[in-house]
Amino acid sequence: MLLVKLGGSVLTEKARLRTPRRAAIRRLAAELASVRQPLVIVHGAGSYGHILASRHRLKDGGSTSAKRAAAARVQADVRELDRLVVDALNRAGFAAVPIAPSVVLTLDDGGVSTMDLTPFLEFSSLGFTPVTFGDVVRDLRRGFSVCSGDLLMLELARAFRPDRAVFAADVDGLFTADPKRRPKADLLETVSPNDLAKIEFSSPRRTDVTGSIEGKVRRMFEIAEHVDACMIVNGNVKNRVRDALRGKRVVGTRIVRGP
Ligand code: IPE
């Protein structure tokens, strides 16, 4: 089994509310179909999630009716993006089934408290392709909070122990500094926990509610414990996600677990 996360910055225009990148969604669906192996697919929320989640501080939860309304709006929005992704996957030949984290998962102060993996396991064993996504979910401490696609990748990696976990980003991989701010930053071919000191992490964009790059990298080290290979590749480059899933050597960053 292979696990893939399609980043929200590849699937959407991240700065323009609820704006899909339809051509990228279509192309990636076709690439995933051409891998011809059982997949579990996770996707991010991009501008269907981060903008309103940040504006209304949904990560912190809350119990006012304004907060609840905003949480419900974002839940509806991420489902709308998921619908576009699932439709594209089905047109590309998958039997894709959406599994919403708001139904199957509960957080406790931002960490996973419980997750019902049964729908993932059973749909997979029936030949369906489970598709899940960053979402607003219940949180025991906060009322509700935001669950990122990366957190879902970790839970699914733990449960399925896939051969490979591939993250499709809008850059070639992990660099010594943010390549969008420092064009001279070097791409790192492999990164282990010992390399963290080499990386200059800049503060996350204000609207990125699911946190810093450093936090994401630390989560990937955890994922690497459960998979044979964990990679970040550029989802905007044609066939890179496909080739990475097939186990070919591609431009990207391989995340290796600690000693
Ligand atoms: C974000 O999920 C979920 C919400 C904001 C509701 P991700 O953190 O996985 O999304 P991307 O990939 O960064 O867009």
Side-chain angles (χ1 to χ4, degrees):
M1 201 281 282
L2 305 172
L3 187 57
V4 61
K5 182 193 169 193
L6 307 174
S9 51
V10 182
L11 302 180
T12 73
E13 299 282 352
K14 231 179 158 174
R16 293 173 58 197
L17 186 65
R18 292 189 290 267
T19 309
R21 296 182 70 222
R22 290 178 193 274
I25 294 172
R26 216 177 307 124
R27 174 182 51 78
L28 284 164
E31 283 189 35
L32 296 185
S34 68
V35 175
R36 299 192 185 285
Q37 281 194 59
L39 294 174
V40 173
I41 300 170
V42 177
H43 65 81
S47 57
Y48 286 76
H50 286 281
I51 296 174
L52 292 185
S54 150
R55 189 178 301 162
H56 298 281
R57 297 182 203 282
L58 296 187
K59 209 174 169 194
D60 304 337
S63 54
T64 63
S65 62
K67 278 263 189 157
R68 270 196 300 276
R73 170 82 251 182
V74 172
Q75 284 193 344
D77 287 350
V78 293
R79 273 180 176 67
E80 192 180 313
L81 174 62
D82 182 62
R83 175 78 196 272
L84 296 178
V85 174
V86 167
D87 282 353
L89 289 166
N90 287 339
R91 272 195 291 269
F94 285 98
V97 278
I99 301 176
S102 59
V103 180
V104 295
L105 178 139
T106 309
L107 297 178
D108 186 1
D109 213 14
V112 175
S113 168
T114 56
M115 181 169 181
D116 180 7
L117 290 159
T118 321
F120 291 91
L121 295 164
E122 292 187 352
F123 274 120
S124 277
S125 66
L126 291 166
F128 289 86
T129 301
V131 180
T132 191
F133 47 87
D135 199 358
V136 176
V137 301
R138 291 160 290 161
D139 186 297
L140 298 175
R141 207 76 57 95
R142 305 176 192 170
F144 57 83
S145 187
V146 174
C147 174
S148 70
D150 297 9
L151 193 51
L152 296 164
M153 286 290 279
L154 174 58
E155 292 307 309
L156 293 166
R158 232 196 280 276
F160 283 91
R161 302 206 158 256
D163 297 322
R164 280 183 280 286
V166 173
F167 288 81
D170 65 347
V171 289
D172 279 348
L174 200 59
F175 288 74
T176 49
D178 181 349
K180 291 181 184 162
R181 295 184 204 185
R182 292 198 200 279
K184 286 195 178 139
D186 295 314
L187 177 67
L188 296 160
E189 274 190 23
T190 60
V191 172
S192 78
N194 293 335
D195 299 319
L196 278 181
K198 283 189 214 158
I199 303 171
E200 182 198 324
F201 290 108
S202 45
S203 52
R205 277 184 303 268
R206 198 173 39 83
T207 53
D208 207 328
V209 291
T210 48
S212 62
I213 301 290
E214 182 171 0
K216 283 175 188 267
V217 177
R218 289 189 187 278
R219 182 140 295 145
M220 287 180 196
F221 291 135
E222 286 184 71
I223 293 170
E225 307 264 340
H226 307 288
V227 302
D228 292 338
C230 179
M231 290 278 301
I232 311 173
V233 300
N234 195 333
N236 285 326
V237 178
K238 196 167 175 226
N239 292 334
R240 212 165 265 173
V241 172
R242 180 198 71 183
D243 290 345
L245 284 167
R246 284 180 175 167
K248 278 200 193 167
R249 254 188 90 97
V250 291
V251 173
T253 301
R254 191 181 166 131
I255 309 291
V256 286
R257 66 194 87 146

Short mmCIF file of all heavy atoms in Angstrom, two decimals, residues 5 7-9 14 44-46 49-50 53 74 78 134-136 146-150 208-210 216, ligand 1:
data_model
loop_
_atom_site.label_atom_id
_atom_site.label_comp_id
_atom_site.label_asym_id
_atom_site.label_seq_id
_atom_site.Cartn_x
_atom_site.Cartn_y
_atom_site.Cartn_z
N LYS A 5 0.09 12.38 0.24
CA LYS A 5 -0.63 13.61 0.61
C LYS A 5 -0.44 14.66 -0.47
O LYS A 5 0.69 15.04 -0.81
CB LYS A 5 -0.14 14.20 1.93
CG LYS A 5 -0.98 15.44 2.25
CD LYS A 5 -0.51 16.36 3.32
CE LYS A 5 -1.34 17.65 3.27
NZ LYS A 5 -0.80 18.73 4.07
N GLY A 7 -0.67 18.33 -1.21
CA GLY A 7 -0.68 19.56 -0.43
C GLY A 7 -1.71 20.55 -0.95
O GLY A 7 -1.95 20.66 -2.16
N GLY A 8 -2.29 21.31 -0.03
CA GLY A 8 -3.30 22.30 -0.41
C GLY A 8 -2.74 23.39 -1.30
O GLY A 8 -3.50 24.01 -2.06
N SER A 9 -1.43 23.61 -1.24
CA SER A 9 -0.86 24.67 -2.09
C SER A 9 -0.71 24.20 -3.54
O SER A 9 -0.50 25.02 -4.43
CB SER A 9 0.49 25.13 -1.54
OG SER A 9 1.30 24.01 -1.32
N LYS A 14 -3.49 29.26 -2.91
CA LYS A 14 -3.54 29.33 -1.45
C LYS A 14 -3.98 30.69 -0.90
O LYS A 14 -4.53 30.77 0.19
CB LYS A 14 -2.21 28.91 -0.84
CG LYS A 14 -2.47 27.84 0.23
CD LYS A 14 -1.29 27.29 0.92
CE LYS A 14 -1.76 26.71 2.25
NZ LYS A 14 -0.75 26.02 2.99
N GLY A 44 -4.64 18.26 1.51
CA GLY A 44 -4.71 19.44 2.35
C GLY A 44 -5.93 20.27 2.01
O GLY A 44 -6.74 19.92 1.14
N ALA A 45 -6.05 21.41 2.68
CA ALA A 45 -7.23 22.24 2.54
C ALA A 45 -6.96 23.49 1.70
O ALA A 45 -7.87 24.05 1.09
CB ALA A 45 -7.73 22.67 3.91
N GLY A 46 -5.71 23.94 1.68
CA GLY A 46 -5.37 25.14 0.94
C GLY A 46 -6.31 26.29 1.27
O GLY A 46 -6.67 26.49 2.44
N GLY A 49 -9.47 26.03 3.46
CA GLY A 49 -9.40 25.83 4.91
C GLY A 49 -8.66 26.92 5.64
O GLY A 49 -9.18 27.53 6.56
N HIS A 50 -7.43 27.18 5.20
CA HIS A 50 -6.55 28.01 6.02
C HIS A 50 -7.03 29.45 6.21
O HIS A 50 -6.88 30.00 7.29
CB HIS A 50 -5.14 28.04 5.41
CG HIS A 50 -4.40 26.75 5.62
ND1 HIS A 50 -3.80 26.43 6.81
CD2 HIS A 50 -4.20 25.70 4.80
CE1 HIS A 50 -3.25 25.23 6.72
NE2 HIS A 50 -3.47 24.76 5.51
N ALA A 53 -10.02 29.52 8.64
CA ALA A 53 -9.60 28.93 9.92
C ALA A 53 -8.68 29.89 10.66
O ALA A 53 -8.72 29.99 11.89
CB ALA A 53 -8.90 27.59 9.68
N VAL A 74 -16.14 26.13 7.39
CA VAL A 74 -14.89 25.53 6.91
C VAL A 74 -15.08 24.03 6.65
O VAL A 74 -14.56 23.49 5.66
CB VAL A 74 -13.71 25.81 7.87
CG1 VAL A 74 -12.47 25.03 7.47
CG2 VAL A 74 -13.41 27.31 7.89
N VAL A 78 -14.10 22.46 3.07
CA VAL A 78 -13.10 21.41 2.78
C VAL A 78 -13.78 20.21 2.11
O VAL A 78 -13.16 19.54 1.28
CB VAL A 78 -12.27 20.99 4.03
CG1 VAL A 78 -11.38 22.13 4.48
CG2 VAL A 78 -13.13 20.49 5.17
N GLY A 134 -7.48 17.43 5.43
CA GLY A 134 -7.42 18.35 6.56
C GLY A 134 -8.81 18.90 6.84
O GLY A 134 -9.53 19.25 5.90
N ASP A 135 -9.20 18.97 8.11
CA ASP A 135 -10.62 19.25 8.44
C ASP A 135 -10.71 19.93 9.80
O ASP A 135 -9.74 19.95 10.58
CB ASP A 135 -11.36 17.90 8.49
CG ASP A 135 -12.87 18.01 8.35
OD1 ASP A 135 -13.39 19.12 8.24
OD2 ASP A 135 -13.53 16.94 8.35
N VAL A 136 -11.88 20.47 10.10
CA VAL A 136 -12.19 20.93 11.45
C VAL A 136 -12.86 19.77 12.16
O VAL A 136 -13.82 19.19 11.64
CB VAL A 136 -13.13 22.16 11.42
CG1 VAL A 136 -13.53 22.57 12.83
CG2 VAL A 136 -12.45 23.32 10.71
N VAL A 146 -8.42 22.14 14.49
CA VAL A 146 -8.09 21.83 13.09
C VAL A 146 -7.17 20.62 13.07
O VAL A 146 -6.18 20.56 13.80
CB VAL A 146 -7.39 23.05 12.44
CG1 VAL A 146 -6.90 22.69 11.04
CG2 VAL A 146 -8.34 24.23 12.37
N CYS A 147 -7.52 19.65 12.24
CA CYS A 147 -6.66 18.48 12.05
C CYS A 147 -6.01 18.60 10.68
O CYS A 147 -6.71 18.74 9.67
CB CYS A 147 -7.51 17.20 12.12
SG CYS A 147 -6.55 15.74 11.74
N SER A 148 -4.69 18.56 10.63
CA SER A 148 -4.00 18.71 9.35
C SER A 148 -3.92 17.38 8.62
O SER A 148 -4.01 16.29 9.23
CB SER A 148 -2.58 19.23 9.58
OG SER A 148 -1.80 18.22 10.18
N GLY A 149 -3.71 17.47 7.33
CA GLY A 149 -3.47 16.26 6.54
C GLY A 149 -2.21 15.54 7.00
O GLY A 149 -2.13 14.31 6.90
N ASP A 150 -1.25 16.28 7.51
CA ASP A 150 0.00 15.65 7.96
C ASP A 150 -0.25 14.74 9.17
O ASP A 150 0.32 13.66 9.27
CB ASP A 150 1.04 16.72 8.34
CG ASP A 150 1.44 17.56 7.15
OD1 ASP A 150 0.79 17.44 6.09
OD2 ASP A 150 2.39 18.35 7.26
N ASP A 208 -1.21 30.17 7.79
CA ASP A 208 -1.02 28.72 7.80
C ASP A 208 -1.37 28.17 9.18
O ASP A 208 -0.53 28.11 10.07
CB ASP A 208 0.43 28.39 7.42
CG ASP A 208 0.52 27.03 6.78
OD1 ASP A 208 -0.30 26.17 7.17
OD2 ASP A 208 1.37 26.82 5.92
N VAL A 209 -2.63 27.75 9.33
CA VAL A 209 -3.08 27.41 10.68
C VAL A 209 -2.50 26.12 11.21
O VAL A 209 -2.52 25.87 12.41
CB VAL A 209 -4.63 27.33 10.79
CG1 VAL A 209 -5.24 28.69 10.65
CG2 VAL A 209 -5.21 26.33 9.83
N THR A 210 -2.01 25.26 10.33
CA THR A 210 -1.52 23.97 10.82
C THR A 210 -0.02 23.99 11.10
O THR A 210 0.58 22.95 11.29
CB THR A 210 -1.91 22.81 9.88
OG1 THR A 210 -1.60 23.18 8.56
CG2 THR A 210 -3.37 22.49 10.02
N LYS A 216 6.15 20.39 10.70
CA LYS A 216 5.81 19.41 9.66
C LYS A 216 6.94 18.41 9.49
O LYS A 216 6.72 17.21 9.32
CB LYS A 216 5.54 20.11 8.32
CG LYS A 216 4.17 20.78 8.26
CD LYS A 216 4.01 21.57 6.97
CE LYS A 216 2.75 22.40 6.97
NZ LYS A 216 1.58 21.78 6.40
C1 IPE B 1 -5.50 22.12 6.90
O1 IPE B 1 -4.95 20.91 6.48
C2 IPE B 1 -6.91 21.92 7.39
C3 IPE B 1 -7.69 23.17 7.60
C4 IPE B 1 -7.20 24.38 7.57
C5 IPE B 1 -9.11 23.02 7.88
P1 IPE B 1 -3.47 20.89 5.88
O2 IPE B 1 -2.53 21.63 6.81
O3 IPE B 1 -3.11 19.45 5.65
O4 IPE B 1 -3.61 21.67 4.52
P2 IPE B 1 -2.50 22.24 3.52
O5 IPE B 1 -1.90 21.09 2.78
O6 IPE B 1 -1.46 22.97 4.37
O7 IPE B 1 -3.28 23.17 2.65
#
